[in-house]
């Protein structure tokens, strides 16, 4: 018995049964196949959905930018068609200064081009002097503008294949059509910005024809025709493509030989639709990275099992201990890499959301539509007063007719004030500051918000002192802050039956402007001025307005604070140093 034990000790530890090792290796192999297949399907679906969501968010941003550009240019023909200088030039047939005036208007408004056509369709003034003298009597901008006395939008294809987008309106004076003003909208710059981010973007009209696209060959084609415009891949190239895409979801389409997913959104303008194509390559790279880690892990296990097959039990135990330490180190390294990957993805999402707003232009487009509606009411009243004055003159009552003419003159002054306010707000604010009366800034902001306030049952209470309250600020940016606070207050009380907004101006140690509402209040005051934090529904706000307003106040040496009332509602308070001539400006301490 002792001799048998001694022989066993000299032989060394008993080897593990190779049959069980082979069974274990087979189970590991099957588990690896099942795990990799399941992980690939799950990660592909998850990352594809994330990519699709980001694509839809980009489409919403692109659609908003497109609508903002169209709305910004839609009001320009109405303003230029009533320009006395242009009307006088058409009446007097003197166009020596017309082109210079149109160039000045183009520089101030930011339109792509402006043309003035006389009654015969001849271009008598243009920002592009090469177009002066050409005849556009058959152009759709001219024909459609003469048919309608309102502003019309036309899309025409040029000889180069590029589409021209223009707003036109007939110039009418004393019931006689003198000509047509045509304002072109530059949408190609949007194409260039889209091309720098998305793989491919196209905009189709109501008939399905592509009018805007980051792929120049697609313009003028329908979407199926555009997708068919691609080089036929060779057999070797197609084989590589099939090998690369065997684990991907079925592609929605192929753009330049690459499998892409297709996202579509409706543009709320004349039945337009926007389509974007996003390549699956980014999804495949992320999935392959994780699959590679899994394969590496299973490869280590299999290598360890084969290595164990040729060793004794004691060596096998030591190898398992070393392998366990290696796996722990690998797990820690993978944990760090996953944390770094999550941080990079979070920064990417923040960077994408930062590109989504041009809030001031969007607000200007919304208010421009309201101002256009406001101008229709004085026009209707003027027509009524003119009819009454004509009747009074026919009956020999000129004194009473003069009162009607006075009312008409008051209405004209009111219309001029509205258009001047819109034109002033459209200008970009500067960095220079000057003495500004807070009362005038509040009055201007209320005037800009008047169309929105009239459409809702909201009571506005204004309290301002009789004396001037002067501060050092840029008037345009100060009005932007006040308009943003008023818009937030309107949104806060829109569901109230008796909504109330109070705006007051006070002067003490400093100058104060308070905007108070009786809404539900602010849920989280600590995050209120953080960028991209908002309580509005998706699509209604971006969370940049208050952050921008707080930065503007800091630039003026002031601050913007907020608190909730105990009786309900929120109060936003603007505090600025008072301007005293001869004394240096002092900034307030930040809270």
């Amino acid at each position: 018995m002792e001799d048998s034990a001694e022989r066993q000790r000299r032989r060394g530890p008993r080897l593990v049964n190779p049959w069980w090792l082979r069974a274990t290796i087979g189970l590991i192999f099957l588990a690896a196949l099942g795990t990799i297949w399941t992980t690939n399907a799950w990660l592909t679906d998850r990352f594809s959905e994330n990519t699709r969501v980001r694509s839809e968010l980009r489409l919403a941003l692109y659609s908003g930018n497109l609508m903002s550009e169209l709305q910004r240019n839609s009001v320009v023909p109405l303003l230029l068609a009533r320009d006395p200088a242009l009307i006088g030039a058409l009446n007097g047939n003197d166009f020596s200064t017309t082109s210079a005036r149109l160039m000045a208007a183009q520089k101030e408004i930011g339109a792509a081009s402006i043309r003035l056509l006389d009654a015969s369709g001849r271009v008598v003034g243009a920002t592009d002097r090469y177009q002066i003298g050409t005849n556009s009597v058959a152009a759709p901008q001219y024909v459609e503008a003469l048919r309608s006395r309102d502003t019309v939008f036309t899309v025409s294809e040029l000889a180069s294949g590029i589409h021209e987008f223009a707003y036109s309106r007939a110039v009418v004076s004393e019931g006689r059509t003198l000509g047509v003003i045509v304002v072109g909208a530059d949408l190609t710059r949007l194409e260039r910005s889209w091309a720098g981010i998305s793989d491919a973007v196209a905009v189709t009209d109501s008939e399905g024809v592509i009018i805007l696209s980051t792929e120049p060959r697609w313009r003028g084609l329908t979407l199926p025709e555009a997708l068919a415009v691609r080089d036929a891949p060779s057999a070797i190239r197609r084989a590589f493509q099939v090998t690369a895409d065997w684990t991907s979801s079925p592609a929605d389409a192929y753009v330049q030989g690459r499998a892409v997913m297709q996202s579509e959104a409706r543009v709320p303008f004349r039945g337009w639709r926007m389509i974007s194509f996003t390549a699956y390559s980014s999804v495949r790279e992320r999935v392959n990275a994780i699959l590679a880690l899994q394969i590496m892990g299973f490869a280590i296990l299999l290598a360890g099992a084969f290595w164990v097959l040729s060793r004794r039990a004691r060596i096998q135990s030591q190898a398992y201990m070393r392998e366990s330490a290696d796996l722990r180190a690998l797990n820690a390294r993978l944990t760090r890499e996953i944390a770094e990957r999550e941080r990079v993805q979070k920064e990417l999402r923040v960077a994408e959301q930062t590109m989504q707003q041009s809030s001031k232009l969007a607000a200007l487009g919304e208010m421009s539509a309201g101002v256009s509606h406001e101008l229709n009411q004085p026009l209707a009243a003027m027509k009524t007063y003119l009819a009454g004055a004509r009747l009074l003159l026919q009956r020999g009552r000129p004194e009473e007719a003069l009162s009607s003419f006075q009312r008409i003159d008051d209405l004209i002054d009111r219309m001029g004030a509205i258009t001047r306010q819109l034109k002033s707000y459209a200008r970009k604010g500067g960095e220079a500051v000057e003495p500004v009366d807070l009362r005038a800034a509040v009055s201007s902001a209320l005037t800009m918000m008047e169309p929105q306030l009239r459409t809702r049952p909201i009571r506005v209470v204004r309290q301002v002192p009789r004396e001037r309250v002067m501060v050092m600020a840029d008037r345009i940016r100060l009005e932007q802050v006040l308009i943003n606070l008023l818009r937030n207050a309107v949104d806060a009380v829109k569901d109230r039956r008796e909504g109330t907004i109070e705006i007051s101006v006070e002067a003490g140690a400093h100058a104060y402007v308070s905007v108070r509402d009786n809404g539900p209040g602010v849920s989280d005051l600590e995050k209120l001025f953080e960028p991209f934090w908002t309580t509005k529904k998706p699509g209604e706000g971006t969370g940049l307005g208050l952050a921008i307003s707080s930065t503007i106040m800091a630039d003026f040496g002031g601050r913007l604070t907020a608190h909730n009332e105990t009786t309900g509602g929120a109060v936003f308070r603007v505090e600025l140093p008072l301007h005293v001539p001869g004394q240096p400006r002092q900034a307030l301490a930040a809270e």
Side-chain angles (χ1 to χ4, degrees):
M1 193 70 178
E2 292 179 355
D3 293 340
S4 177
E6 182 65 17
R7 286 195 300 269
Q8 180 65 28
R9 186 184 63 82
R10 291 178 179 178
R11 290 176 183 174
R14 180 183 299 177
L15 294 175
V16 179
N17 195 328
W19 184 85
W20 289 103
L21 284 177
R22 293 190 182 96
T24 303
I25 292 173
L27 290 176
I28 293 175
F29 186 78
L30 294 177
L33 289 179
T35 302
I36 292 172
W37 185 271
T38 304
T39 303
N40 173 73
W42 182 73
L43 289 179
T44 300
D45 292 341
R46 180 181 178 184
F47 291 155
S48 297
E49 183 62 24
N50 292 342
T51 303
R52 190 177 298 276
V53 169
R54 287 197 298 269
S55 177
E56 292 174 356
L57 290 176
R58 284 196 295 268
L59 276 183
L61 171 63
Y62 295 164
S63 177
N65 291 340
L66 180 61
M67 287 300 302
S68 176
E69 184 69 19
L70 291 172
Q71 291 173 357
R72 184 174 66 84
N73 287 275
S74 62
V75 74
V76 178
L78 176 62
L79 301 177
L80 295 179
R82 296 178 179 174
D83 190 349
L86 298 181
I87 294 175
L90 291 172
N91 280 322
N93 202 23
D94 181 11
F95 308 107
S96 57
T97 61
T98 302
S99 296
R101 186 170 186 83
L102 294 180
M103 290 178 183
Q106 178 195 25
K107 183 178 181 181
E108 184 174 3
I109 297 171
S113 63
I114 304 177
R115 303 192 300 273
L116 178 63
L117 286 67
D118 61 10
S120 64
R122 183 172 61 91
V123 178
V124 296
T127 55
D128 184 4
R129 296 186 179 274
Y130 292 102
Q131 296 183 1
I132 297 177
T134 60
N135 196 302
S136 303
V137 67
Q141 300 92 335
Y142 178 81
V143 175
E144 295 295 333
L146 291 182
R147 291 178 180 174
S148 173
R149 290 302 179 93
D150 202 351
T151 303
V152 296
F153 178 80
T154 55
V155 180
S156 57
E157 185 175 2
L158 303 179
S160 59
I162 300 176
H163 289 80
E164 181 185 25
F165 307 89
Y167 284 95
S168 58
R169 187 182 182 93
V171 180
V172 180
S173 176
E174 298 178 355
R176 186 166 59 93
T177 301
L178 302 178
V180 173
I181 187 74
V182 180
V183 178
D186 184 13
L187 302 184
T188 57
R189 64 183 183 85
L190 296 179
E191 288 182 333
R192 293 189 293 271
S193 64
W194 299 340
I197 301 175
S198 301
D199 293 301
V201 178
V203 177
T204 62
D205 58 11
S206 58
E207 297 178 357
V209 178
I210 297 177
I211 55 178
L212 285 173
S213 175
T214 56
E215 296 289 333
R217 295 185 297 175
W218 289 5
R219 299 190 187 102
L221 304 176
T222 62
L223 189 59
E225 294 173 347
L227 293 177
V229 179
R230 62 189 180 95
D231 299 333
S234 62
I236 297 178
R237 179 181 174 186
R238 187 60 184 169
F240 276 114
Q241 181 176 333
V242 171
T243 303
D245 296 342
W246 71 274
T247 54
S248 300
S249 301
D252 296 339
Y254 284 89
V255 175
Q256 295 182 352
R258 294 185 301 170
V260 296
M261 67 172 62
Q262 178 177 335
S263 300
E264 187 171 339
R266 185 179 66 88
V267 180
F269 183 78
R270 300 171 66 93
W272 288 9
R273 302 193 69 82
M274 182 176 290
I275 305 98
S276 72
F277 301 91
T278 306
Y280 281 99
S281 57
S282 59
V283 175
R284 192 68 261 153
E285 290 172 359
R286 296 166 65 186
V287 173
N288 289 343
I290 298 178
L291 292 181
L293 295 177
Q294 287 188 337
I295 294 173
M296 181 180 65
F298 284 111
I300 293 175
L301 290 176
L302 290 174
F306 282 114
W307 181 74
V308 167
L309 189 61
S310 61
R311 308 295 296 175
R312 296 178 180 270
R314 185 177 60 186
I315 299 175
Q316 182 183 33
S317 177
Q318 296 174 353
Y320 279 150
M321 294 176 61
R322 290 193 298 269
E323 185 180 7
S324 177
D326 294 338
L327 289 176
R328 284 195 298 270
L330 177 62
N331 182 60
R333 185 165 63 253
L334 292 178
T335 301
R336 291 192 298 269
E337 291 178 359
I338 291 173
E340 180 66 15
R341 183 183 298 274
E342 291 177 350
R343 183 186 65 82
V344 172
Q345 290 177 350
K346 186 178 297 184
E347 292 177 354
L348 177 62
R349 287 193 295 269
V350 172
E352 289 177 349
Q353 293 171 356
T354 304
M355 301 166 57
Q356 292 181 356
Q357 290 309 315
S358 53
S359 58
K360 183 177 177 180
L361 291 180
L364 180 61
E366 179 182 349
M367 289 185 288
S368 299
V371 169
S372 299
H373 177 72
E374 284 292 307
L375 293 177
N376 289 331
Q377 296 178 354
L379 288 174
M382 290 169 60
K383 185 175 181 180
T384 302
Y385 286 138
L386 283 174
R390 186 184 297 109
L391 184 60
L392 290 172
L393 290 175
Q394 291 174 355
R395 295 181 178 180
R397 296 156 64 182
E399 293 79 5
E400 298 181 21
L402 287 176
S403 64
S404 296
F405 289 130
Q406 181 60 41
R407 293 189 183 96
I408 293 174
D409 186 63
D410 295 339
L411 290 173
I412 292 175
D413 291 338
R414 178 186 173 191
M415 293 170 63
I418 292 174
T419 55
R420 283 194 301 272
Q421 190 69 27
L422 179 63
K423 182 178 179 181
S424 175
Y425 186 73
R427 291 191 298 108
K428 182 179 179 182
E431 297 293 335
V433 296
E434 60 183 1
V436 178
D437 189 355
L438 272 181
R439 302 178 307 164
V442 169
S443 177
S444 178
L446 286 172
T447 301
M448 294 294 290
M449 290 294 297
E450 184 177 356
Q452 299 183 40
L453 294 172
R454 286 187 177 180
T455 59
R456 302 177 183 178
I458 300 175
R459 185 170 67 94
V460 179
V461 180
R462 175 169 56 177
Q463 298 177 357
V464 295
R466 294 183 178 180
E467 298 79 12
R468 295 194 304 173
V469 181
M470 304 300 295
V471 297
M472 290 295 292
D474 175 41
R475 183 178 61 83
I476 299 299
R477 293 201 290 165
L478 179 59
E479 290 177 5
Q480 179 182 355
V481 173
L482 297 177
I483 290 173
N484 185 56
L485 296 181
L486 288 172
R487 292 180 67 191
N488 288 343
V490 170
D491 292 337
V493 302
K494 64 181 180 181
D495 296 329
R496 297 287 182 181
R497 180 173 299 178
E498 296 180 0
T500 302
I501 298 176
E502 298 179 14
I503 181 168
S504 60
V505 179
E506 303 172 10
H510 303 101
Y512 305 94
V513 179
S514 300
V515 178
R516 180 181 289 102
D517 61 72
N518 61 343
V522 181
S523 59
D524 194 344
L525 290 172
E526 295 182 357
K527 297 181 179 180
L528 186 60
F529 298 102
E530 292 182 4
F532 308 108
W533 186 88
T534 178
T535 59
K536 298 180 181 179
K537 297 179 181 179
E540 297 180 357
T542 59
L544 286 175
L546 290 177
I548 294 174
S549 301
S550 179
T551 303
I552 293 175
M553 287 298 99
D555 293 341
F556 296 158
R559 58 192 172 199
L560 174 62
T561 59
H563 65 273
N564 291 324
E565 291 285 322
T566 56
T567 58
V571 178
F572 288 84
R573 188 178 181 90
V574 173
E575 184 177 359
L576 289 168
L578 284 170
H579 169 62
V580 179
Q583 292 186 3
R585 187 178 65 162
Q586 297 180 354
L588 302 179
E591 291 185 345

